[in-house]
Amino acid sequence: MKTIGLTGSIAMGKSTAARLFGRLGVPVYDADAAIHALLAKGGAGVSPVAKAFAGVETNGAIDRAKLGRTVFADPAALARLEAILHPLAARARDAFLARHRRSRTKRVVLDVPLLFETGGERRCDLVVVVSASATIQRQRALARPGMTREKLAGILARQMPDARKRRRGDVVAVTGLGLLPTLRALKRAVRLTG
């Protein structure tokens, strides 16, 4: 089974690319969705996160807005959170991969925003980087509910610069020019993984 890594900075079009991979028949593991599930009611991350960060649990789930206010301005707190969540997310990813190996799936996509930052590209046969102009990225990000210029700046500071990701990727899918160029790049990634 071939593994395609899908990554890109905030608001670059990664979710759209993941949906397009799905339309091409390639199963997608969504790291963000896995984290959301871990923090939702009944999720394996609720108890350890609530113990580590007082006041972030509401009705059996983690209030992600409260959690964000607690950790994103504090690098030590963010590191504690990541130490809790990353192993749990890795288990979910490994279960996804094992399930598709058993099913003899030809290729899968790992949709991971911080793929390069966490060394995740080493688990991939090919990496697709989604990218758009800084103007489009900023417009898309600031249109999100609750996003501010300050919050965006903090997120970008934690992510590898887009130009560096583009250089490290095997295929660059440029978004912001319509779906067709993005789809062409994704089809190329599928062809390259046999």
Side-chain angles (χ1 to χ4, degrees):
M1 181 176 75
K2 298 290 186 178
T3 302
I4 300 171
L6 174 62
T7 194
S9 297
I10 185 171
M12 288 295 197
K14 201 167 48 55
S15 296
T16 298
R19 281 193 300 277
L20 291 172
F21 267 125
R23 280 199 220 156
L24 293 172
V26 184
V28 177
Y29 167 80
D30 182 336
D32 282 343
I35 295 294
H36 291 258
L38 289 169
L39 298 175
K41 190 170 188 167
V46 173
S47 178
V49 170
K51 285 178 186 166
F53 303 98
V56 299
E57 183 179 355
T58 304
N59 298 323
I62 298 299
D63 182 322
R64 292 191 350 258
K66 285 182 186 176
L67 181 63
R69 288 191 295 273
T70 301
V71 302
F72 288 126
D74 181 347
L78 183 59
R80 273 196 340 267
L81 176 64
E82 289 173 344
I84 295 166
L85 293 180
H86 285 182
L88 296 172
R91 278 190 226 141
R93 179 203 62 226
D94 292 346
F96 169 87
L97 291 171
R99 186 171 63 253
H100 285 287
R101 274 192 202 98
R102 284 192 303 273
S103 299
R104 300 192 185 281
T105 304
K106 190 169 185 175
R107 68 185 65 78
V108 296
V109 170
L110 297 180
D111 174 353
V112 182
L114 300 177
L115 186 75
F116 290 127
E117 292 86 342
T118 59
E121 77 278 8
R122 292 188 297 267
R123 288 184 291 277
C124 300
D125 297 292
L126 179 137
V127 175
V128 175
V129 174
V130 291
S131 180
S133 72
T135 301
I136 289 173
Q137 178 189 31
R138 188 170 286 101
Q139 288 171 347
R140 288 174 178 168
L142 292 174
R144 293 179 178 185
M147 184 61 69
T148 64
R149 292 181 190 283
E150 295 76 26
K151 187 174 178 182
L152 177 59
I155 291 169
L156 291 173
R158 287 189 301 278
Q159 294 183 340
M160 182 182 292
D162 179 57
R164 192 163 161 215
K165 284 183 181 179
R166 289 169 68 112
R167 285 192 302 273
R168 291 185 65 183
D170 300 298
V171 173
V172 176
V174 177
T175 66
L177 302 174
L179 288 180
L180 195 54
T182 305
L183 187 57
R184 279 192 203 116
L186 303 184
K187 285 181 176 178
R188 180 172 174 251
V190 168
R191 282 194 310 274
L192 289 171
T193 55

